[in-house]
Every structure is written in C-alpha cells, then in structure tokens.
Amino acid sequence: MSDIFTKLSAWKLFSKCAFPNMISASFLAFYYIVDGIFVGKYLGNNALAALGLVLPFIIMSFAIADTIGVGSAVQISMKLGKNQKEEAKTMFSACIVIILAFSFLMGFIEYFLGPLLIDLLNVSKEVKELCKEILIVFALFAPITMISFALDNYLRICGKTFYSMIINIIIALSNLFFDYLFIVVLGWGVFSAALATCIGLSLGGIFGILPFLIQNLELKFTKIALSFKEFKNIIYNGSSEFFNNVSTSLFSIFANLVLLNLAGTKGVAAFSIILYINTFIISLLISMCDAMQPALSFNYAKKDIKRVKNLIIPILISAFIFSITILFIVLTFKENLISFFSKDKNKEFLDFGSHALMIFSFNYLIIWINVLSTSFLTAFNKPKSSLIISLNQNLFIPLIFLFILPLFLNLNGVWLTPLMANIFVLILSFIFLRKIFAK
C-alpha cells in the first residue's frame, strides 16, 4: 500500500483516497443528520433542542477515541515509512486496548454524572427529561460505539478505503432504518433516535475490527507494547483533533446558553439544524484532507518535500471549488434545508431558521483554509501548531465574538461569530504553514 504514496500521481492518489473517504464521510455524517430530521419532523422543537443540548457532550466523549486514533495513525504511518513494521503493529494493538479502556470509563461517567449536569440547565422539566433519555442510551453503548470512530484511521493506513466507505454506508442506512422503525412506525420517543445511532455505530465497530482479525493487513493484532513517551506523542499529535472536537462542543454549549437567553428553545432548535447541516459539510471537507494524511505523513518522514507539495495541490483546489459550491447551494435552498427538520413547517420558524442559516453560510468562504491547515499540520507531526489553530478557530476567538457581537447585533451576532473567528484564524494558518515550507 505504501508504494502508491510515492509512485502514484498526485491527482490519481487524491482520487483513489479522497473520493471514497468523502463518500464514506457523507454517509457517516448522514447518520448524524438523520436523527435531527426524524426528531425535528416527528417529535418537534423541544425534542430537537434536547438533542442539540446533549450531543455536544457526546461528541466530547467520542473525541477521546478520535484523538488516539488520529494521533496513533500519524505515528504508525511514519513508522511504516521508516520500515518499522513490527513497531507499527504493537502500537496499533496497544492503542485499541487503550481506546476500549477509555470508552468504558466515559460510559460510566455519562451514566452517573450526566443526569446531574442536565439538572443544572435552565430549561423546562420536559426538556431535561428528554436530555436524560438521550444521554443514558449513549452511555450504555459507549464501549462499542467509541471504538468505531478510531478504526477508520487504521483501515485507511492499510488501504481499506473502499471497505471503510462500505462500513459507513452500513452505519448510515441502519440508522435511517431504525430511526424510521422506532420513531415513525413504533412511535417511540427521542431516546429511540439515540438508540438507532448507537446500533449503527455498533455495527460499524464490529465490521471495522474484522479485517484486522481475519485478513493479512499491514496492521495486525500482536503483543501490546507502548512506552509512556510513545503514548505522550500519540496524545500530543492527536491533541489538535481532540481539542477541535471538544472546543467545538464547548462553543456549542455556550452558544446554546446564549440562544436560550435570547430566543428560548426556538433559538437552540434553529442552531441545532445549522449544526447538523454544517457538520455534514465540514466532515466532507475534513475527509478530503484526512484521506491524504497517511501519504503526507509518509513522504514528510522520507523528507520528500517536493512530493508533499504536489500532494497538497489537488487538496487545495478541490476544497476551494467545494466550498464555493456549498455556499451557492445553501444560499439558494436555505428554506428547503430548514424545512427538512421542521415538524409543522411553521412559517415563522422557517423564516427564523433560514435567516440564521443565510448569515452563517458565509463562513464557508474562509473556513476551508483553516480546516485544511489544521489537518496538514497534524500530518506533518506539528501538533502544537495544529492545536493553536484548532483552539483559536473553535473556542477562544469564537467565544470572544459570541459574548460581544450579540450585545450589538442580537441574534445576528451569534450567527456571524464563526465567520469573524475564521477571518482572524486565517492569519495563524498562513504563518504556521509558511514556516514549514520555508524550511
């Protein structure tokens, strides 16, 4: 598999890796969105708001598995680039065990501590109970759902991009099926949306682990050996992905609190819809670059900078075209997109949500550069720079604007916050990438 990282043309390698990964990511993001569609259409704004209030906490727990998966994938790819195959296998095996241990711990915390935190929310008793229903389901399934987020990184290293795509299609379609069965046919409550998601992710975890058990891949289960220094490097290298997920979730939590104060559950419901749409778009953008991370890491470890620059060109061009196209689609069909998540197609709510989405969508003019910069820096084993961009893009700078802009622009200030933050972060992205290629 590693031969194609050095011999295949940049555009052909991009097509081979990125397109299947983007299709895979679209289905993986769809499993997330479909919950919002069914909950919004059949259970109403309170249920949708409850889902929006809980999911940031769930995503933060998944971020631990993603951190180890991404951080170790970079280290494993670099070991393979140096022909250290046995070391790569032992690191892979150890990381799977560590992820499983963390997933049990997070499930325990969510089950016992989560309901206590929900009681602190300034929402109605009905919404609190809906939040607890969702959280308990995710807590019970945590050990098997969290591992599915990490396995995708290891499958890509072994060239199983098409298989990974099939897994994510299975996850998405199973979630769609069970959402329809539980919510529409059986008439179950909002907890069933969480149950459908967890069943889909559990299938992804089972199918994701099988190739490493039954096939002759570059990565296999072997003895478990991982030094503290290696573990520290894995966490350090994956920290940008962790803080990217955690900081985004923290910002969502604070934004929800601001929106509850300015517009009540209607504001949270509209923001939840925007996040569903945004998650789908950004996941495609991230997958475009993440699919090329093993190749970038491999060639960077070989000090073939000319090859690295050639690999980056198709990513940049494709990301730019993709982002402009998305902006046009969102601006043209904003009301249609909001209506997918609306139970009664209330005109007032559709206008409210469409206006919010229109303002938010201009963020796509800038964000693609910062998303790709973070991914590039992770691939180049520059976690500190990647982390700085990630934290400022998703938490620190957005929080500043979140607390300032609404004072002057009311709700429009909330919707404008991501755009203003990404404009400032753009400067950091150029500084860090210029340092790397100047060398």
Side-chain angles (χ1 to χ4, degrees):
M1 176 62 191
S2 55
D3 287 344
I4 70 170
F5 293 163
T6 57
K7 298 178 180 179
L8 206 61
S9 71
W11 279 101
K12 286 184 178 179
L13 182 60
F14 178 79
S15 299
K16 181 179 177 61
C17 296
F19 290 150
N21 204 45
M22 289 180 70
I23 294 172
S24 175
S26 68
F27 277 94
L28 193 58
F30 180 71
Y31 96 84
Y32 170 72
I33 290 175
V34 76
D35 284 338
I37 294 174
F38 276 100
V39 169
K41 272 194 171 295
Y42 293 97
L43 300 178
N45 282 351
N46 276 351
L48 187 60
L51 201 59
L53 289 168
V54 171
L55 280 180
F57 294 97
I58 301 301
I59 293 171
M60 287 170 68
S61 68
F62 287 155
I64 295 175
D66 203 29
T67 298
I68 298 173
V70 171
S72 62
V74 171
Q75 298 294 325
I76 290 169
S77 294
M78 296 185 79
K79 286 184 181 296
L80 291 174
K82 298 174 182 177
N83 202 33
Q84 298 173 351
K85 295 184 178 180
E86 289 305 316
E87 290 87 342
K89 292 177 184 177
T90 57
M91 178 175 287
F92 160 72
S93 302
C95 287
I96 292 294
V97 173
I98 293 171
I99 291 169
L100 286 173
F102 271 114
S103 65
F104 275 100
L105 176 63
M106 291 308 302
F108 180 85
I109 293 173
E110 289 170 3
Y111 189 89
F112 290 101
L113 184 60
L116 299 178
L117 295 176
I118 289 172
D119 284 331
L120 299 177
L121 293 174
N122 184 27
V123 293
S124 66
K125 184 177 180 180
E126 177 191 357
V127 175
K128 287 181 181 179
E129 291 303 316
L130 294 174
C131 289
K132 291 176 183 178
E133 289 181 18
I134 297 167
L135 185 62
I136 293 302
V137 174
F138 276 108
L140 293 173
F141 277 85
I144 191 168
T145 55
M146 286 179 66
I147 192 68
S148 66
F149 277 83
L151 290 171
D152 187 60
N153 297 284
Y154 305 131
L155 288 170
R156 286 203 306 270
I157 291 174
C158 297
K160 306 290 287 185
T161 52
F162 182 77
Y163 182 76
S164 177
M165 179 186 74
I166 296 299
I167 290 176
N168 287 326
I169 291 174
I170 292 172
I171 291 173
L173 294 181
S174 65
N175 192 31
L176 176 64
F177 170 76
F178 286 113
D179 266 331
Y180 180 79
L181 175 64
F182 295 157
I183 297 175
V184 181
V185 177
L186 299 178
W188 290 358
V190 70
F191 79 91
S192 63
L195 180 61
T197 297
C198 290
I199 292 174
L201 287 174
S202 298
L203 291 174
I206 293 169
F207 286 117
I209 206 73
L210 281 178
F212 301 105
L213 297 174
I214 63 176
Q215 294 184 13
N216 186 27
L217 302 180
E218 282 188 289
L219 297 181
K220 298 178 182 178
F221 288 107
T222 181
K223 64 178 182 179
I224 299 173
L226 189 70
S227 68
F228 178 75
K229 181 180 179 181
E230 287 176 323
F231 179 70
K232 185 177 69 173
N233 287 339
I234 287 171
I235 298 299
Y236 190 46
N237 202 261
S239 60
S240 64
E241 302 300 323
F242 173 78
F243 285 108
N244 179 53
N245 289 320
V246 170
S247 58
T248 301
S249 297
L250 284 173
F251 172 75
S252 298
I253 292 169
F254 283 109
N256 283 333
L257 295 176
V258 172
L259 287 167
L260 281 172
N261 183 53
L262 294 175
T265 54
K266 181 178 75 170
V268 175
F271 186 57
S272 297
I273 293 173
I274 291 173
L275 289 183
Y276 280 122
I277 296 170
N278 184 65
T279 297
F280 182 82
I281 294 169
I282 297 302
S283 66
L284 293 179
L285 197 55
I286 292 174
S287 67
M288 186 185 298
C289 187
D290 281 0
M292 297 288 283
Q293 270 190 351
L296 291 171
S297 298
F298 186 92
N299 286 282
Y300 189 80
K302 290 172 65 68
K303 302 186 184 303
D304 190 349
I305 303 302
K306 181 179 179 181
R307 173 67 171 171
V308 169
K309 290 181 178 179
N310 287 337
L311 292 176
I312 287 176
I313 291 173
I315 304 173
L316 292 174
I317 294 174
S318 301
F320 172 74
I321 295 172
F322 172 79
S323 298
I324 296 299
T325 303
I326 287 297
L327 177 61
F328 174 78
I329 292 173
V330 171
L331 291 177
T332 304
F333 301 103
K334 55 184 180 296
E335 188 168 322
N336 303 81
L337 292 170
I338 296 295
S339 68
F340 277 124
F341 301 84
S342 179
K343 182 178 181 181
D344 302 315
K345 295 193 175 180
N346 180 278
K347 178 64 176 173
E348 180 186 355
F349 182 74
L350 288 178
D351 290 342
F352 179 83
S354 299
H355 176 74
L357 181 59
M358 177 190 69
I359 296 175
F360 184 92
S361 65
F362 287 100
N363 184 43
Y364 299 125
L365 289 172
I366 304 294
I367 192 173
W368 66 275
I369 302 175
N370 296 327
V371 169
L372 265 59
S373 297
T374 302
S375 188
F376 289 156
L377 290 168
T378 299
F380 299 152
N381 199 24
K382 304 294 181 182
K384 184 177 179 179
S385 300
S386 181
L387 177 59
I388 291 172
I389 292 179
S390 181
L391 285 176
N392 281 283
Q393 180 186 8
N394 296 300
L395 184 61
F396 297 147
I397 296 179
L399 280 182
I400 294 172
F401 284 109
L402 178 65
F403 293 130
I404 294 176
L405 292 181
L407 297 176
F408 304 96
L409 302 174
N410 206 336
L411 282 169
N412 288 339
V414 179
W415 316 134
L416 274 172
T417 291
L419 172 62
M420 298 304 297
N422 275 291
I423 290 173
F424 276 78
V425 174
L426 188 63
I427 300 171
L428 288 175
S429 295
F430 278 122
I431 290 174
F432 288 132
L433 288 178
R434 185 179 179 183
K435 283 183 178 179
I436 290 177
F437 291 111
K439 296 178 181 179

